[in-house]
């Protein structure tokens, strides 16, 4: 089947539920688990293998945190995906460095940045969250922690990525490509049968970034944020712009004030447009999900889509866009 056959209109997502977060009350939260369209899993880009994995776990009654971790691990393991996990493109000096974070419904968070040699950074982030007094570990310390906790040391630079990097070295022109469908950061949000929300975000960052560069994806509030009373948001694209606007946190706060996930994503992108005179030159995209199961998405440049698992079906959904 062609990709377009999977594409649904964003307006369809969660259309059966009209209430906004501001109309939620304690009684409606309690009845959340009775909603017919739960569980739900949504992810940046057309990562339907990942949303299917997480969604099927949720449908079997597995909790949102376990499902979201397993879901994004699908892309971390995918060697063909050159911007997440194993097989990710290196920085300009040839190092593959990974960034990831995870948040639980209780509002706990764990993160790893500039992590080398470990194929599943999201699982290391979860261990940071659950087994240390900290939220974020970086570089050597993150690697040491991962190795001490039984993660295997592997070579993340595939032959293919090395070949592409060597080609890049010939011109050294640093210009992130605006849309690489299916080949970008995965940010995922899951709502389980109880109505609890968890989220994760994992990436190898921008290809040929400077050595030491960390983007938005592992930064709580930028690449990912959630509040189990309200909903969550995830980001992909130019991390510098997302960090400067604390985009995912902004979206959750806008939903708290009564905006729909769609309206909140649009406000966040428009703020980035206002902050960055060069906004034509890069992509940013957000996906948000609220406690009612409504999904919204907005991006700067046309071409971004998100994967959705709902009513036991997966689909790819074109995002609305600014330009
Ligand atoms: N947001 C990621 C970063 O800046 C990259 C991406 O999503 O394309 O590291």
């Amino acid at each position: 089947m062609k990709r377009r056959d999977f594409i649904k209109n964003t307006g369809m997502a969660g259309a059966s539920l009209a209430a906004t977060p501001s109309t939620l009350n304690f009684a409606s939260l309690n009845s959340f688990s009775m909603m017919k369209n739960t569980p739900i899993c949504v992810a940046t880009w057309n990562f339907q293998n990942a949303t299917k994995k997480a969604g099927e776990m949720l449908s079997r009654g597995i909790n949102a945190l376990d499902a979201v971790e397993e879901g994004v691990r699908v892309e971390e393991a995918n060697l063909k995906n050159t911007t997440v996990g194993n097989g990710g493109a290196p920085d300009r000096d040839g190092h593959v460095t990974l960034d990831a974070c995870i948040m639980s419904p209780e509002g706990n968070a764990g993160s790893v940045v500039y992590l080398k040699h470990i194929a599943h950074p999201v699982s290391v982030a979860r261990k940071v969250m659950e087994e240390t007094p900290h939220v974020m570990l970086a570089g050597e310390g993150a690697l040491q922690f991962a190795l001490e906790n039984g993660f295997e040391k592997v070579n993340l630079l595939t032959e293919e990525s090395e070949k592409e990097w060597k080609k890049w070295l010939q011109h050294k022109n640093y210009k992130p490509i605006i849309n690489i469908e299916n080949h970008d950061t995965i940010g995922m949000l899951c709502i389980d049968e109880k109505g609890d929300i968890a989220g994760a975000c994992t990436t190898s960052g921008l290809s040929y970034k400077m050595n030491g560069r960390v983007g938005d994806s592992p930064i709580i509030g930028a690449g990912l944020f959630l509040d189990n009373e309200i909903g969550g948001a995830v980001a992909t694209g130019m991390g510098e712009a997302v960090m400067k606007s604390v985009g995912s946190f902004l979206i959750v706060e806008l939903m708290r004030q009564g905006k729909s996930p769609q309206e909140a994503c649009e406000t966040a992108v428009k703020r980035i447009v206002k902050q960055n005179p060069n906004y034509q030159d890069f992509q940013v995209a957000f996906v948000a999900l609220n406690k009612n199961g409504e999904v919204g998405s907005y991006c700067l440049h046309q071409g971004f889509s998100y994967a959705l698992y709902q009513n036991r079906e997966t689909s790819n959904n074109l995002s609305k866009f600014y330009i």
Side-chain angles (χ1 to χ4, degrees):
M1 204 182 293
K2 289 202 189 102
R3 188 181 68 84
R4 288 211 167 265
D5 297 334
F6 286 103
I7 292 175
K8 288 186 185 166
N9 206 309
T10 42
M12 295 296 289
S16 56
L17 293 159
T20 64
S22 58
T23 66
L24 277 177
N25 55 31
F26 189 66
S28 64
L29 286 176
N30 271 347
S31 64
F32 186 87
S33 57
M34 309 298 282
M35 286 182 181
K36 283 204 177 71
N37 67 341
T38 58
I40 300 168
C41 171
V42 67
T44 53
W45 303 101
N46 186 14
F47 290 132
Q48 289 187 68
N49 289 339
T51 48
K52 189 165 187 278
K53 173 81 187 179
E56 286 175 358
M57 287 176 70
L58 294 167
S59 291
R60 293 201 308 275
I62 292 168
N63 68 68
L65 186 62
D66 287 344
V68 84
E69 179 187 358
E70 282 305 319
V72 300
R73 279 173 63 101
V74 169
E75 283 307 317
E76 288 183 338
N78 177 3
L79 294 182
K80 293 211 175 101
N81 182 337
T82 56
T83 56
V84 181
N86 205 352
D91 64 19
R92 55 190 63 180
D93 298 328
H95 314 289
V96 182
T97 66
L98 305 181
D99 300 331
C101 70
I102 191 160
M103 280 192 85
S104 75
E106 295 77 32
N108 271 342
S111 163
V112 286
V113 305
Y114 196 79
L115 178 62
K116 292 178 182 168
H117 308 305
I118 302 292
H120 289 294
V122 73
S123 298
V124 185
R126 183 166 177 181
K127 280 223 176 288
V128 172
M129 173 173 83
E130 291 179 341
E131 289 172 30
T132 79
H134 306 305
V135 168
M136 183 183 288
L137 291 180
E140 277 304 309
L143 177 60
Q144 183 188 333
F145 173 75
L147 296 175
E148 282 168 7
N149 279 278
F151 289 85
E152 194 192 346
K153 190 169 182 176
V154 294
N155 174 20
L156 299 172
L157 185 64
T158 57
E159 257 175 51
E160 195 51 39
S161 289
E162 189 171 5
K163 219 164 70 191
E164 289 301 312
W165 168 59
K166 286 189 172 150
K167 260 197 237 161
W168 179 83
L169 283 177
Q170 286 164 17
H171 55 78
K172 295 190 179 173
N173 181 15
Y174 179 66
K175 201 167 188 301
I177 303 163
I178 282 180
N179 282 314
I180 317 175
E181 197 182 344
N182 265 344
H183 296 278
D184 230 304
T185 296
I186 182 164
M188 180 184 280
L189 298 162
C190 288
I191 300 188
D192 62 25
E193 282 181 344
K194 286 195 203 146
D196 287 330
I197 303 182
C201 192
T202 176
T203 190
S204 55
L206 297 174
S207 308
Y208 318 129
K209 60 195 175 185
M210 288 174 70
N211 182 20
R213 183 262 187 192
V214 172
D216 62 313
S217 308
I219 308 297
I220 302 299
L224 165 71
F225 192 70
L226 64 86
D227 180 322
N228 200 32
E229 285 184 7
I230 307 297
V234 284
T236 180
M238 184 62 77
E240 283 71 9
V242 176
M243 280 193 278
K244 284 187 279 182
S245 62
V246 200
S248 292
F249 180 74
L250 173 64
I251 288 168
V252 173
E253 291 309 298
L254 290 169
M255 293 196 294
R256 193 192 305 279
Q257 290 163 22
K259 283 202 192 290
S260 69
Q262 184 60 39
E263 289 166 342
C265 290
E266 291 186 16
T267 303
V269 168
K270 286 174 188 164
R271 192 168 293 184
I272 286 173
V273 167
K274 223 167 151 191
Q275 282 176 334
N276 295 274
N278 65 332
Y279 70 86
Q280 305 257 7
D281 301 338
F282 60 83
Q283 174 68 301
V284 288
F286 293 104
V287 182
L289 172 66
N290 70 14
K291 276 295 266 195
N292 286 342
E294 292 174 305
V295 177
S297 174
Y298 200 63
C299 58
L300 240 177
H301 291 268
Q302 183 172 14
F304 170 71
S305 66
Y306 62 92
L308 178 68
Y309 177 95
Q310 195 168 25
N311 301 322
R312 294 178 187 247
E313 274 178 30
T314 59
S315 58
N316 184 36
N317 301 260
L318 276 187
S319 172
K320 292 181 181 162
F321 52 88
Y322 185 75
I323 41 178

